[in-house]
């Protein structure tokens, strides 16, 4: 693909282009290995990422870092030191991003983020190590995140970690934001739960696969680090679908007017009414009159709210806790977060939409040299500040 010039508002533009060029070169190598049938390209890519970036479970003087298993799911727990006479701590369950296929709670990027969260908030942070594509596909990532969270919410487990049951947040970025939103929706409907999250905090979350032509998808279709076609391929991988469907998905053939399965969801994702004019700009909706209903038949998960939380019914949205959503202007997923904020607000949920004009997808984890961006520090500080004030 060919890049469009980066907008002048992007912070650290040359560093971003260098990062993306490096990532693309690695991806091309992994796709070559996949083409030669030596291994799946995502397995190779994640192996390279984790080989160069994985940290051992080493406790520091300030934060105790341990690995545990919650109901069969691996987690990494970050605990601030106990202080004499201290009350119970607040806590954050964090779910990392990476297209449901990449990264780890153990990589330095997420290890560093969770350590700083634990220090800044004096909170216990539980980072979920869910299984990845292609080892497993939807709904297993959702099930892993849900099981780990529900295990942690048990009174005896919270007591073990000295956590205040009334001060727990669930959070995640990108695909982790998708899982956090889906898990939060499921927890809100579980009548057997006695403890539920006080807050949810979603960082540039991916929330829908219904419309790949929202204004942000059109505006940022060739934007590093997440071009539109890459996000579509992540969805296909997550659903164990066929790459041959990518072009049809790109032009919204799967949600055309003659696709009966999609009709009941159309009103829940009408960006012409959910987005402010500053985001709609001059973009026009892409709605096909005739499409391919067989796509939904092959991949019914495209309309499964456990995978696409933005399509949840209003009754579910009303049950959601106080919410923080961080979005970036230079991101195909910008409108996913903005539309979810509006739907939650319409349902009566208190929402903070924290939008950054000069930032890009994934920036919050890029705070360590050589991928240290001013956008990363800016977004991370704003996110932690909101948690500190509301948790």
């Amino acid at each position: 693909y060919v890049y469009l010039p980066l907008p002048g508002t992007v912070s650290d533009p040359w560093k971003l282009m260098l990062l993306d060029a490096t990532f693309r070169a690695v991806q091309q190598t992994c796709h070559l290995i996949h083409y030669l049938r030596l291994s799946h390209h995502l397995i190779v890519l994640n192996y390279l990422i984790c080989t160069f970036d994985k940290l051992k479970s080493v406790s520091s003087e300030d934060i105790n870092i341990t690995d545990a298993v919650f109901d069969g799911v691996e987690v990494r727990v970050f605990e601030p030191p106990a202080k004499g006479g201290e009350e119970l701590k607040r806590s954050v369950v964090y779910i990392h991003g990476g297209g449901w296929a990449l990264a780890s709670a153990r990589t330095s990027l997420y290890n560093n983020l969770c350590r700083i969260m634990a220090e800044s908030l004096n909170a216990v942070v539980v980072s979920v190590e869910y299984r990845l594509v292609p080892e497993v596909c939807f709904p297993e990532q959702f099930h892993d995140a849900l099981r780990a969270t529900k295990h942690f919410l048990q009174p005896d487990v919270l007591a073990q970690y000295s956590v205040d049951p009334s001060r727990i947040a669930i959070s995640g970025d990108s695909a982790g934001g998708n899982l956090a939103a889906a898990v939060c929706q499921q927890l809100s409907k579980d009548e057997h739960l006695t403890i539920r999250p006080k807050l949810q905090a979603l960082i540039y979350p991916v929330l829908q696969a219904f419309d790949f032509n929202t204004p942000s998808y059109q505006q940022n279709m060739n934007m590093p680090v997440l071009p539109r076609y890459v996000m579509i391929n992540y969805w296909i991988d997550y659903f164990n679908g066929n790459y041959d469907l990518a072009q049809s998905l790109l032009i919204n053939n799967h949600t055309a007017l003659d696709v009966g399965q999609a009709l009941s969801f159309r009103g829940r994702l009408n960006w012409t009414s959910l987005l402010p004019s500053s985001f709609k700009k001059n973009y026009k909706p892409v709605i096909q009159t005739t499409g391919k209903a067989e796509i939904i038949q092959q991949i019914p998960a495209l309309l499964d709210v456990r995978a696409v939380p933005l399509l949840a019914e209003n009754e579910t949205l009303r049950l959601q806790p106080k919410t923080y959503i961080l979005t970036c202007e230079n991101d195909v997923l910008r409108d996913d977060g903005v539309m979810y904020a509006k739907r939650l607000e319409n349902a009566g949920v208190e929402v903070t939409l924290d939008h950054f004009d000069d930032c890009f997808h994934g920036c919050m984890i890029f705070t360590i040299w050589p991928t240290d961006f001013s956008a990363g520090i800016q977004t991370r500080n704003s996110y932690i500040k909101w948690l500190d004030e509301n948790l």
Side-chain angles (χ1 to χ4, degrees):
Y1 57 92
V2 179
Y3 279 130
L4 298 176
L6 284 178
T9 57
V10 176
S11 61
D12 307 311
W14 294 111
K15 188 182 292 187
L16 175 58
M17 291 295 287
L18 180 60
L19 170 66
D20 193 67
T22 302
F23 191 59
R24 284 193 296 126
V26 173
Q27 281 184 312
Q28 289 170 357
T29 302
C30 294
H31 279 287
L32 175 61
I33 293 173
H34 188 134
Y35 176 77
L36 296 174
R37 298 184 178 181
L38 299 177
S39 182
H40 195 288
H41 69 97
L42 290 173
I43 293 177
V44 179
L45 180 57
N46 206 43
Y47 174 79
L48 293 174
I49 291 173
C50 293
T51 296
F52 288 103
D53 205 12
K54 187 176 289 186
L55 293 178
K56 295 180 180 179
S57 177
V58 178
S59 298
S60 68
E61 181 177 322
D62 299 320
I63 299 295
N64 185 48
I65 306 173
T66 57
D67 292 325
V69 177
F70 286 1
D71 192 16
V73 180
E74 295 182 11
V75 298
R76 173 160 284 194
V77 183
F78 300 77
E79 297 178 84
K83 300 175 183 177
E86 184 182 49
E87 297 180 357
L88 297 176
K89 289 184 171 63
R90 48 194 175 177
S91 182
V92 179
V93 175
Y94 195 85
I95 308 174
H96 71 80
W100 307 283
L102 305 175
S104 163
R106 297 181 176 91
T107 56
S108 63
L109 296 174
Y110 286 106
N111 201 86
N112 183 61
L113 172 63
C114 291
R115 179 183 56 79
I116 290 175
M117 288 168 59
E119 289 177 346
S120 302
L121 299 170
N122 191 34
V124 175
V125 177
V126 176
S127 187
V128 181
E129 187 80 323
Y130 57 91
R131 292 169 295 165
L132 302 174
V133 173
E135 175 194 353
V136 298
C137 298
F138 176 81
E140 296 310 315
Q141 286 82 357
F142 166 76
H143 287 155
D144 284 357
L146 180 62
R147 288 204 314 274
T149 304
K150 288 182 70 172
H151 177 87
F152 182 62
L153 292 177
Q154 295 179 97
D156 59 332
V157 177
L158 296 178
Q160 176 186 343
Y161 289 101
S162 299
V163 168
D164 184 341
S166 66
R167 303 179 74 192
I168 301 168
I170 182 165
S171 183
D173 65 296
S174 192
N178 168 281
L179 294 170
V183 166
C184 210
Q185 289 183 6
Q186 186 63 36
L187 294 176
S188 71
K189 296 183 289 187
D190 191 331
E191 298 178 353
H192 302 291
L193 276 183
T194 58
I195 299 170
R196 291 186 173 86
K198 177 184 180 182
L199 310 171
Q200 66 173 337
L202 312 177
I203 313 303
Y204 32 74
V206 49
L207 298 171
Q208 59 90 22
F210 191 94
D211 185 356
F212 291 108
N213 289 275
T214 62
S216 63
Y217 264 113
Q218 295 186 57
Q219 172 184 314
N220 299 300
M221 64 174 67
N222 294 310
M223 178 67 63
V225 169
L226 189 65
R228 176 169 60 173
Y229 90 95
V230 170
M231 189 63 246
I232 291 174
N233 283 340
Y234 278 138
W235 277 114
I236 291 173
D237 287 322
Y238 188 35
F239 295 146
N240 196 26
N242 191 320
Y243 292 129
D244 292 342
L245 299 176
Q247 184 59 34
S248 286
L249 292 172
L250 188 148
I251 59 175
N252 291 342
N253 270 343
H254 61 304
T255 54
L257 294 177
D258 67 337
V259 178
Q261 302 97 313
L263 288 178
S264 63
F265 294 97
R266 185 167 298 283
R268 303 178 192 177
L269 204 158
N270 179 6
W271 61 257
T272 62
S273 63
L274 291 172
L275 295 178
S277 58
S278 59
F279 287 171
K280 287 186 287 188
K281 300 182 173 68
N282 294 318
Y283 294 104
K284 305 299 181 185
V286 175
I287 303 174
Q288 306 295 347
T289 304
T290 58
K292 295 184 177 180
E294 60 269 24
I295 297 176
I296 299 297
Q297 294 168 2
Q298 292 179 41
I299 313 179
L302 284 164
L303 300 177
D304 189 324
V305 295
R306 297 174 301 169
V308 287
L310 185 53
L311 297 185
E313 57 188 9
N314 289 334
E315 288 73 14
T316 298
L317 297 186
R318 292 190 189 102
L319 301 174
Q320 300 315 295
K322 187 175 183 179
T323 299
Y324 171 92
I325 299 178
L326 187 151
T327 57
C328 298
E329 179 67 20
N330 305 295
D331 181 6
V332 293
L333 302 179
R334 178 200 68 198
D335 295 343
D336 285 24
V338 176
M339 287 189 289
Y340 197 49
K342 186 61 176 178
R343 287 204 65 207
L344 287 170
E345 185 180 73
N346 290 344
V349 177
E350 185 177 347
V351 181
T352 297
L353 178 63
D354 199 7
H355 181 69
F356 292 84
D357 284 324
D358 63 342
C359 296
F360 57 91
H361 186 79
C363 63
M364 198 177 77
I365 62 171
F366 294 123
T367 59
I368 306 174
W369 188 89
T371 58
D372 50 331
F373 290 84
S374 58
I377 301 296
Q378 182 185 7
T379 51
R380 188 186 69 192
N381 289 348
S382 188
Y383 162 67
I384 291 177
K385 181 175 183 290
W386 186 88
L387 285 175
D388 191 34
E389 293 174 349
N390 292 277
L391 185 57

